[in-house]
Amino acid sequence: MRRVAIAVLIILLAGVSPDIALTEAESVVTYKTDPQGVRLTDYGSTFGGLGIQYNPVSIANYALDRWNKYQETSDQAYLDAFMNQAKWLHDNQRNDGTWKYTFNIPSYNLDAPWISCMAQGLGMQVLNYAYSINREQSYLDKAKLSIRPFSRSVKDGGVRSYFPDGIPWYEEYASDSTPVYKVLNGFMFALQGIASYLIGNGDEDATRILNEGLSSLSKKIDSYDAGYASYYDAAGHVNVNYNRVHVEQLMYLYKLTGNERLREYARIFDTYEPKAGIRASSVASGQQDPAILVDGKCFNGSTWERGSWAAQLQLDLGSSRPIEGVNFFFADRINVPSSIQMAVSADGISWSNIVDSALNPRWAYYPSDTKSMYIRMHYLKQPIKARFIRIILNQGSSKLIRLREIHPMYNQNASRFDRVGNSTRWNDIYINDWYYPYVRFFESSGLATGYADGSFRPGNPITRAELTVWISRAYGFKPVLPGSQGPIFPDIESHWARSYIEAVGDIGIVSGYPDGTFKPDALVTRAEIAKIIVGAGKLPLYPIAQFHFSDVSIGYWAIPYIEAAREAGIIKGYDGLVFKPDAHTTRAEATAILVRALNVPTL
């Protein structure tokens, strides 16, 4: 059976290695390919001059990027590049399921060989996709083998470590030569890779590891909250470039699992992001232009200084926002104000002071290889909606204030996080709907789209064209581009779903009517979807010893398909006795049937 071709979120950061990024002092890596087309990572002088290396994570990331491009364009060059990376992962996986890093990283005390949970998860995903193309059993076998290191401790050659309270974690930098750092983004990338592999693969070990990891993430995510950014790892490193990665990863895993705690911390971390479009101005005349205070470059930008009087600033957020707090980034711990006063306004005319009792300030010292930062975090006890913030920084004992950045804290895209009773992008899907888990999976995996008005319309009957598109995407059937010989069905020549209909029509998953037409906009009955899903999944048709539904009569054409789907747990009857074979299948029912057919875990 062809497996699902769903691209897990892969964040490729400009100027930052996707797998090794600890401090702001690192140089920018570049990429090349070897004669076989396999990606090479050139670290240059980074980490003492690593130079050009085969990096399993970089190779897997590149493979997934090429896979996504191939899915979008059907360009053979992208598929060839993907298979080159997959072959390297296939050929270089060791018998214990690992990919070994063959270079040292002195700054992390990593001595080769070492392994990475991120490489294990993403490599598993790549090999599974490759198997869906070449059908070589060794690729699927090696994908399954990739899960083994998650059950072994770091000291035993695996990627598993534990927090002091016994909660397990999967290590991005796993070696006996280094402490366990518990890197957050690598852990979540590993979970995403495992989740993608599990779509269509009933692997008990992988399911257990995924569920265990999701439980650990839910329990420990609060410890990665620094108050002004998310921690890169449990050792307290901060790399602000990864804050956005963490937001996107948490939202992906939230959509997959429905775990509200993950969504909440995605929302919190999003408030720490530099805000575009804020304007800063000086209230008092003669002050230095404060534009640099809102340029988002707190860790590598210039310093704004004021030494002759109290600094008075005003921020214009561009529109009214629910402000949760304000973070101030000072250049050092000496030249800081004695106190900070703030007021807010909706129109820039009427102002309300934010009194001390409404604040919950605390200091945090941020050490860096290139510069140090002294951060004062002001959290409001309750969000205050305003467009303008007025700030007075009263001089301290040094008579000098050296400030790098001011970050107002609010969500830049609140609709992603602040839904009431509804946590998908579709406005008619609610968390208490029976079909909510299935539709949520459809959203997170990109299997289906809704309508222009933002609705999913779960109660609408599904059309033959819509179902064909879902089947094609779910099982990875490549859309067929229109050829010179015309369509295989005369009534789909100009239809929006033609390429998908021909993809599954060519291999007999769907068929036309006696008059040769396909009738793409006709509605699908429950008997018809049973036949289609059994064909797509290549489920066995057993001799029928008994009929399980009272309304399916002897001799009914779809009995073998209905019984095969029932036996596989894909389609259920009403009250266990009635099937309603000629009733139309709703879009909600179709999502549930398809997700069950794919054996998707942790819904």
Side-chain angles (χ1 to χ4, degrees):
M1 180 174 71
R2 291 179 63 91
R3 305 301 182 187
V4 183
I6 297 174
V8 166
L9 167 73
I10 297 297
I11 309 291
L12 297 177
L13 297 174
V16 179
S17 171
D19 57 320
I20 302 174
L22 308 183
T23 72
E24 296 298 312
E26 294 174 6
S27 63
V28 176
V29 300
T30 57
Y31 300 102
K32 305 175 181 179
T33 55
D34 71 6
Q36 287 71 45
V38 178
R39 167 159 282 199
L40 297 170
T41 303
D42 187 352
Y43 289 99
S45 61
T46 303
F47 302 115
L50 286 180
I52 297 175
Q53 302 287 342
Y54 286 99
N55 183 315
V57 163
S58 293
I59 292 169
N61 270 336
Y62 184 59
L64 293 170
D65 176 73
R66 299 297 88 179
W67 176 263
N68 293 344
K69 292 290 196 303
Y70 171 67
Q71 298 300 310
E72 294 168 4
T73 66
S74 299
D75 188 331
Q76 184 67 31
Y78 288 129
L79 180 59
D80 291 343
F82 166 79
M83 292 304 297
N84 289 338
Q85 316 313 306
K87 185 177 187 305
W88 186 94
L89 291 168
H90 175 278
D91 295 347
N92 287 274
Q93 187 187 49
R94 302 204 176 189
N95 292 336
D96 62 356
T98 63
W99 288 277
K100 300 288 187 181
Y101 280 77
T102 59
F103 52 88
N104 301 335
I105 302 182
S107 62
Y108 250 25
N109 300 314
L110 274 169
D111 295 330
W114 54 279
I115 60 177
S116 169
C117 69
M118 188 172 172
Q120 296 303 130
L122 298 183
M124 175 189 307
Q125 183 181 359
V126 171
L127 291 173
N128 189 45
Y129 286 171
Y131 170 69
S132 73
I133 295 295
N134 64 19
R135 312 307 294 166
E136 293 183 19
Q137 184 64 34
S138 62
Y139 278 77
L140 182 59
D141 292 343
K142 292 201 170 194
K144 293 180 178 180
L145 191 63
S146 307
I147 201 66
R148 291 188 180 179
F150 290 90
S151 296
R152 298 196 301 268
S153 68
V154 171
K155 69 177 182 179
D156 293 327
V159 297
R160 175 184 289 265
S161 68
Y162 295 90
F163 281 90
D165 58 5
I167 293 176
W169 199 259
Y170 312 136
E171 291 292 335
E172 183 174 348
Y173 309 114
S175 169
D176 248 352
S177 69
T178 185
V180 287
Y181 288 95
K182 297 179 173 61
V183 175
L184 180 58
N185 86 89
F187 178 84
M188 289 194 285
F189 271 126
L191 297 186
Q192 291 170 209
I194 297 169
S196 179
Y197 160 76
L198 277 170
I199 298 170
N201 287 302
D203 189 317
E204 292 183 3
D205 288 339
T207 300
R208 173 179 54 80
I209 291 297
L210 176 62
N211 288 334
E212 183 180 60
L214 290 168
S215 175
S216 295
L217 180 63
S218 179
K219 293 173 181 176
K220 285 299 182 181
I221 188 61
D222 60 336
S223 66
Y224 288 86
D225 183 5
Y228 60 92
S230 52
Y231 286 121
Y232 177 78
D233 57 26
H237 292 101
V238 172
N239 187 320
V240 293
N241 296 302
Y242 277 83
N243 190 76
R244 172 53 49 188
V245 179
H246 295 158
V247 171
E248 299 299 335
Q249 290 180 305
L250 286 167
M251 283 302 292
Y252 176 90
L253 292 172
Y254 160 68
K255 290 177 181 179
L256 185 67
T257 66
N259 187 317
E260 291 291 336
R261 186 169 173 80
L262 304 185
R263 183 186 70 139
E264 175 60 14
Y265 274 89
R267 188 196 69 80
I268 291 171
F269 293 168
D270 184 69
T271 67
Y272 303 147
E273 284 294 294
K275 310 301 189 290
I278 298 178
R279 296 190 299 274
S281 58
S282 298
V283 176
S285 61
Q287 292 188 167
Q288 177 185 354
D289 181 4
I292 63 170
L293 296 178
V294 291
D295 64 3
K297 299 178 180 178
C298 55
F299 288 88
N300 53 11
S302 303
T303 300
W304 186 87
E305 299 184 1
R306 187 70 266 158
S308 57
W309 55 71
Q312 300 181 51
L313 305 168
Q314 184 169 305
L315 305 184
D316 180 354
L317 308 183
S319 62
S320 182
R321 308 279 189 172
I323 302 164
E324 299 182 28
V326 181
N327 285 340
F328 297 87
F329 296 77
F330 296 98
D332 53 56
R333 62 190 308 170
I334 298 173
N335 299 296
V336 298
S338 59
S339 64
I340 300 175
Q341 297 172 268
M342 287 189 286
V344 294
S345 172
D347 55 12
I349 299 174
S350 301
W351 293 85
S352 300
N353 291 326
I354 303 177
V355 297
D356 288 344
S357 61
L359 297 171
N360 181 23
R362 63 188 179 99
W363 293 96
Y365 181 59
Y366 173 78
S368 169
D369 290 349
T370 55
K371 59 177 68 71
S372 294
M373 205 84 64
Y374 205 53
I375 305 165
R376 180 154 182 167
M377 296 170 279
H378 285 262
Y379 298 104
L380 304 183
K381 292 185 176 179
Q382 295 292 332
I384 298 176
K385 200 166 187 179
R387 172 175 174 173
F388 300 94
I389 305 175
R390 182 167 289 176
I391 300 165
I392 299 177
L393 304 171
N394 297 303
Q395 289 174 324
S397 58
S398 71
K399 305 300 182 184
L400 179 66
I401 295 172
R402 302 183 67 233
L403 185 61
R404 293 194 187 277
E405 193 83 7
I406 301 175
H407 278 182
M409 290 189 286
Y410 58 83
N411 293 126
Q412 299 186 77
N413 185 2
S415 63
R416 295 185 64 200
F417 310 99
D418 302 327
R419 301 181 187 274
V420 178
N422 178 356
S423 49
T424 75
R425 69 172 179 266
W426 294 307
N427 56 31
D428 54 352
I429 304 297
Y430 296 89
I431 201 165
N432 58 341
D433 294 325
W434 71 265
Y435 44 79
Y436 170 79
Y438 306 109
V439 177
R440 184 184 70 236
F441 171 76
F442 263 56
E443 177 190 28
S444 66
S445 61
L447 279 180
T449 56
Y451 295 89
D453 62 358
S455 65
F456 185 78
R457 303 180 192 176
N460 280 16
I462 192 168
T463 67
R464 284 167 58 83
E466 289 173 333
L467 179 62
T468 299
V469 172
W470 292 8
I471 291 288
S472 181
R473 289 174 177 169
Y475 287 93
F477 300 128
K478 180 182 174 182
V480 176
L481 298 179
S484 59
Q485 298 181 351
I488 60 175
F489 301 108
D491 57 341
I492 65 168
E493 184 167 7
S494 60
H495 198 275
W496 64 271
R498 172 181 171 177
S499 61
Y500 294 97
I501 294 170
E502 296 203 324
V504 295
D506 276 346
I507 55 178
I509 301 301
V510 296
S511 57
Y513 290 88
D515 62 359
T517 63
F518 183 76
K519 299 181 182 179
D521 298 318
L523 305 181
V524 180
T525 68
R526 285 171 53 80
E528 288 172 332
I529 197 172
K531 181 179 184 297
I532 291 171
I533 208 72
V534 167
K538 298 182 179 179
L539 300 179
L541 298 177
Y542 299 105
I544 301 168
Q546 60 179 342
F547 303 118
H548 289 83
F549 300 109
S550 60
D551 59 339
V552 180
S553 59
I554 297 176
Y556 186 75
W557 69 271
I559 282 180
Y561 306 106
I562 293 172
E563 288 298 317
R566 183 204 62 78
E567 181 71 21
I570 295 171
I571 298 182
K572 302 176 181 179
Y574 299 94
D575 298 324
L577 299 174
V578 179
F579 187 77
K580 300 182 181 179
D582 298 320
H584 291 141
T585 308
T586 67
R587 285 166 57 87
E589 288 174 329
T591 63
I593 290 168
L594 189 52
V595 170
R596 292 187 197 118
L598 298 172
N599 296 317
V600 176
T602 65
L603 287 173

